[in-house]
Amino acid sequence: MSKEMTGAEMVVEALKDQGVEILFGYPGGAVLPIYDVLFHQEKVKHILVRHEQGAAHAAEGYARSSGKVGVLLVTSGPGATNTITGLTDALMDSIPLVCITGQVPTHLIGSDAFQECDTVGITRHCTKHNYLVKNIADLPRVLHEAFYVAMSGRPGPVVIDIPKDVQFARGVYTPPRGAPHKTYQPKLDADMEQIREAVRMMAHAKRPIFYTGGGVVNSGPAASALLRELVSLTGFPITSTLMGLGAYPGSGANWLGMLGMHGTYEANNAMHDCDLMIAVGARFDDRITGRLDAFSPGSKKIHIDIDRSSINKNVKVDLAIVGDCGHVLEALVRTWRAEAMHAEKQPLDHWWAQINEWRAKKSLAYRASDTTIKPQYAVQRLYALTKDRDSYITTEVGQHQMWAAQHYHFEEPNRWMTSGGLGTMGYGLPAAIGAQLAHPNALVVDIAGEASILMNIQEMSTAIQYRLPVKVFILNNEYMGMVRQWQELLHGGRYSHSYSEALPDFVKLAEAFGGKGIRCSDPRLLDAAIQEMLDYDGPVIFDCLVDKVENCFPMIPSGKAHNDMLLADLSDDAGVDIGAIIDEKGKMLV
């Protein structure tokens, strides 16, 4: 029912009508009318972050783990500009956000008024869409339209910039109804002739591979279930981007592991040598393709994506299917079954034999130590002690992020939240806060580096205030690890400003915030220390002191092809595959 109210009241009413339960924000002068309305209601819970970038990442973590739109509210000027990193992160990783920003009164726009900035101009290139609402009559439509745009098609962030006088103005609010947008109607279903052509190509392939990305996760749980069914029906191997982990189970028989710069030897070689690549919800970014002119040179390529602009953007494909991953996968499964298709057994057996030869390289192996915690081992032990729990994992960005992707195995979608496209240090802690709010009874762990965690460490105050038992598991090697690795391998060992000097005592820092601090440097004591972290009912910072110079392998050096990978050197007799020193219960035997 339509009714008269102020613009500020419209904002809060629209949030309620859109089913928003959690709002991340930081107050300021240009949004005080909205905050005043929030004060008089209890349906929308406001979470006070300590920095607006934290609000954006927390909204991302909430959205990624729940499948809902993440919402944040910030003031004008610096409040808006502080969200830019988070908005860009969400755009690159296709995360649905609605960011509401305050703006100076309309008559002051363009006058360089206090805390004024051109929010629409600044955010134009880091949002899916943005609005400046100068007329109260437009506000209800824009509020509802923003949620539709953020969530539909390829998801992404939307900004609504609302001048202060519009928040005070009175108008008629209309609840959402009918078509949310007259012209933006993303295509969900593919043409059936394209589906039949894809099935024919799959049935005749001799060396096929599924290459999947975050689009499968974004499409919802049904898409992941259909992907698993299609893999089972065809018997094809499957690999995934960093953002697609969990869509197919990490324990699945056909799983080759992650591909790309730090992907497995078998996944990258299979991508290089395949004769048919079925890309589902992935965008052929540079971390996956390596050198473009040497990327999978002998394959035909099918690309399934809801974003038409991603088709043929980086890699020319042979069959483009524009549509929602879930809808297209359902059509592929139905058609494969209806036409009683099957892959050619002998060529597929030969293909799997080749893949198993690559698997035998054990490209994720590393040298064990009975005196120093290896970072890979730390992630493995964290996985072993949390895999049977309702767990969600976030990360910061760097070596620890890649080790987490390699050694923490995800069985379900939406359990893995990391900054893929932008590579944002400081993402993990606020994202963990968002995931914890979406899943109050779950275990949420941020696997961090000692450099990255300091980027948004202030959000520990948010975790303390709202009693959110997030766990920060720091792999502390006292370096910006990935920077140091590149300097070692590509810049002659000149470690220019990559050493993390003047680090805080993370145990004391945790206690200063009001949480618990734990430190461990002995691999024999690691399990007990991790268990102590898991048993504590509150925020924890775990300072895990790991090998300072361990490198992250496998690695495709910049400018190289998929089949030109660096592997860890295990030739030294003192080196041993970690698999040889762990018993069936996962206990270390050295």
Side-chain angles (χ1 to χ4, degrees), residues 201-318:
M201 292 171 71
M202 290 162 62
H204 289 100
K206 293 177 171 53
R207 300 185 308 280
I209 189 169
F210 285 108
Y211 150 47
T212 61
V216 181
V217 177
N218 286 342
S219 188
S224 295
L226 287 162
L227 174 66
R228 297 168 189 220
E229 185 176 359
L230 188 58
V231 170
S232 178
L233 283 172
T234 60
F236 292 177
I238 179 171
T239 182
S240 164
T241 67
L242 180 73
M243 298 303 295
L245 295 177
Y248 186 83
S251 62
N254 294 44
W255 177 240
L256 303 187
M258 182 179 72
L259 80 157
M261 180 170 283
H262 292 286
T264 65
Y265 188 74
E266 54 267 32
N268 283 324
N269 275 284
M271 283 283 281
H272 186 272
D273 286 2
C274 69
D275 70 344
L276 179 66
M277 179 189 303
I278 307 111
V280 189
R283 58 186 178 88
F284 293 96
D285 70 284
D286 64 295
R287 286 301 198 244
I288 295 302
T289 62
R291 207 177 85 219
L292 272 174
D293 63 355
F295 174 65
S296 195
S299 71
K300 292 184 183 264
K301 300 172 182 68
I302 300 171
H303 190 185
I304 301 165
D305 206 293
I306 199 165
D307 182 8
R308 189 181 299 274
S309 70
S310 290
I311 305 292
N312 292 319
K313 182 177 181 179
N314 297 324
V315 171
K316 182 174 174 55
V317 299
D318 299 275

Side-chain angles (χ1 to χ4, degrees), residues 338-480:
E339 299 188 8
M341 289 292 193
H342 56 83
E344 297 183 39
K345 185 177 186 307
Q346 188 173 21
L348 191 59
D349 287 346
H350 285 313
W351 180 226
W352 273 110
Q354 174 61 77
I355 288 171
N356 287 330
E357 286 185 25
W358 290 325
R359 277 176 166 169
K361 285 275 190 183
K362 295 186 177 180
S363 60
L364 298 182
Y366 58 93
R367 298 178 187 177
S369 171
D370 60 352
T371 59
T372 302
I373 297 175
K374 293 288 186 175
Q376 303 95 319
Y377 179 69
V379 175
Q380 288 177 332
R381 296 314 306 146
L382 179 67
Y383 170 70
L385 293 168
T386 60
K387 65 180 180 179
D388 296 326
R389 299 182 60 160
D390 183 19
S391 303
Y392 294 80
I393 302 297
T394 71
T395 77
E396 308 293 334
V397 168
Q399 284 179 318
H400 63 274
Q401 176 190 30
M402 295 298 105
W403 283 317
Q406 291 172 340
H407 297 284
Y408 200 103
H409 309 293
F410 297 93
E411 299 299 304
E412 300 295 335
N414 302 106
R415 300 295 177 134
W416 164 250
M417 285 139 284
T418 193
S419 175
L422 194 61
T424 306
M425 295 172 72
Y427 169 90
L429 175 53
I433 287 170
Q436 189 76 78
L437 283 158
H439 306 278
N441 299 317
L443 169 68
V444 181
V445 181
D446 171 29
I447 299 177
E450 83 291 334
S452 273
I453 192 61
L454 292 176
M455 289 279 188
N456 273 316
I457 191 65
Q458 76 283 343
E459 298 308 327
M460 276 300 290
S461 288
T462 306
I464 294 294
Q465 178 176 343
Y466 296 99
R467 297 178 174 85
L468 304 173
V470 296
K471 318 301 182 191
V472 179
F473 189 70
I474 301 174
L475 302 183
N476 186 350
N477 58 14
E478 298 184 3
Y479 277 99
M480 298 174 211

Side-chain angles (χ1 to χ4, degrees), residues 50-57 72 74-87 117:
R50 271 45 179 185
H51 191 283
E52 291 89 354
Q53 182 183 347
H57 294 323
L72 60 151
V74 301
T75 195
S76 63
T81 59
N82 280 345
T83 68
I84 298 302
T85 298
L87 293 173
C117 72

